[in-house]
Amino acid sequence: HKQRMAASFGLVLRALGYPGSPPGQGSVGQGSEEFRKLVSWLEDTKIRLHKVEDRGALRDHASEAWPQTFEAYATALECPFDASDGRTLGWILNYALGLEYRDNAGELNGARAKLVGDERASTRPERPFGDAEGARCAELANEMASALGVPTGQDAAKILEAVERAAKPLAQARMEAGATSEVDLAALPLGFTTGDAQVDSASLVMRSLFIKDLRELQSVIDETTVGVQEYTANPKTDAKLGRVGR
């Protein structure tokens, strides 16, 4: 327990920028010089409960009255533990850490936001096209347009819109004709395995059908949402129902 306590103290002291060594496993009691130096440093640099001229008793690490001074100090901080309790130092450290955060919240939050942004940027997969209006995107749009007989010679966005309009009837006709294509089940992720290849294949088919149903349901929800938004965004008022005066 004392070893874990000393390790946690070390983490907090690193965050606070303590220049000395953290109290060792056997140096977390009031009688050790490391303990007393740490407490006086916290008061001088982080907590600052007393005026500078009133901190002499805490700085007098060799004084026989130091335990009484520390007890009065913990009471003044409204520490919920007795001064002789081993948890008191941990409470004071966390108290100092809270004050440090309060004093530097803007800077610390900015650093954290930058760190999170850098991590997201490093893990974000690269886009196939860095620029949607780039040469590679335009080249592929022209290839699809040529395959569907769509005129080219305009920007990629307009070409892709024309490609979509041309592809929809073809896809619809293929569906109405009942045209099918083979699907390689082995190339589709199942996400789990039962140990039986046939059961895995059946599970994959059922999962794919379920996803198809979810997509259709999502389409219905989207259409309903659009309809409600159009209704609420364009209210109509019957002026004949209005009434002025009593």
Side-chain angles (χ1 to χ4, degrees):
H1 176 71
K2 289 185 177 180
Q3 188 174 6
R4 291 196 302 269
M5 184 184 297
S8 65
F9 289 171
L11 292 175
V12 177
L13 291 175
R14 284 177 56 189
L16 291 172
Y18 183 54
S21 300
Q25 183 175 348
S27 305
V28 293
Q30 296 182 36
S32 71
E33 187 176 1
E34 291 180 4
F35 182 97
R36 298 181 178 187
K37 285 182 177 179
L38 172 57
V39 172
S40 62
W41 180 84
L42 290 171
E43 167 61 18
D44 283 335
T45 61
K46 305 299 178 182
I47 300 176
R48 297 184 288 272
L49 175 68
H50 299 307
K51 297 179 180 180
V52 176
E53 57 270 20
D54 296 333
R55 300 174 189 168
L58 274 179
R59 294 172 180 168
D60 188 2
H61 307 143
S63 172
E64 294 182 357
W66 198 92
Q68 290 75 25
T69 300
F70 177 67
E71 183 177 1
Y73 181 65
T75 301
L77 289 176
E78 298 182 355
C79 175
F81 306 116
D82 186 79
S84 59
D85 194 314
R87 295 171 292 180
T88 303
L89 179 59
W91 185 91
I92 294 176
L93 283 170
N94 289 327
Y95 181 79
L97 190 62
L99 295 176
E100 179 78 358
Y101 174 77
R102 185 193 66 184
D103 293 342
N104 302 280
E107 180 181 352
L108 294 173
N109 289 339
R112 182 181 183 278
K114 183 179 184 304
L115 179 61
V116 172
D118 292 343
E119 289 179 352
R120 289 179 178 174
S122 63
T123 57
R124 186 183 300 120
E126 294 185 4
R127 296 174 55 191
F129 309 104
D131 183 4
E133 299 180 355
R136 180 55 179 162
C137 183
E139 180 183 349
L140 292 176
N142 286 327
E143 289 181 6
M144 288 188 289
S146 299
L148 293 172
V150 174
T152 58
Q154 47 191 342
D155 61 74
K158 292 183 178 179
I159 293 177
L160 291 174
E161 290 177 359
V163 167
E164 181 184 11
R165 289 193 297 269
K168 279 185 177 180
L170 296 177
Q172 185 66 29
R174 185 178 177 85
M175 292 176 60
E176 292 175 354
T180 59
S181 58
E182 293 185 1
V183 177
D184 184 8
L185 294 179
L188 300 177
L190 176 59
F192 62 91
T193 181
T194 63
D196 188 313
Q198 293 183 344
V199 176
D200 285 352
S201 297
S203 301
L204 183 57
V205 171
M206 293 178 64
R207 185 177 184 182
S208 300
L209 293 174
F210 177 66
I211 292 175
K212 176 178 177 294
D213 291 341
L214 285 180
R215 288 178 175 174
E216 292 177 353
L217 175 62
Q218 184 63 53
S219 297
V220 173
I221 293 174
D222 292 342
E223 292 174 0
T224 304
T225 302
V226 171
V228 172
Q229 289 175 341
E230 290 179 352
Y231 178 79
T232 57
N234 186 26
K236 295 182 180 180
T237 303
D238 190 347
K240 293 183 294 183
L241 299 178
R243 190 172 175 183
V244 178
R246 296 182 179 178

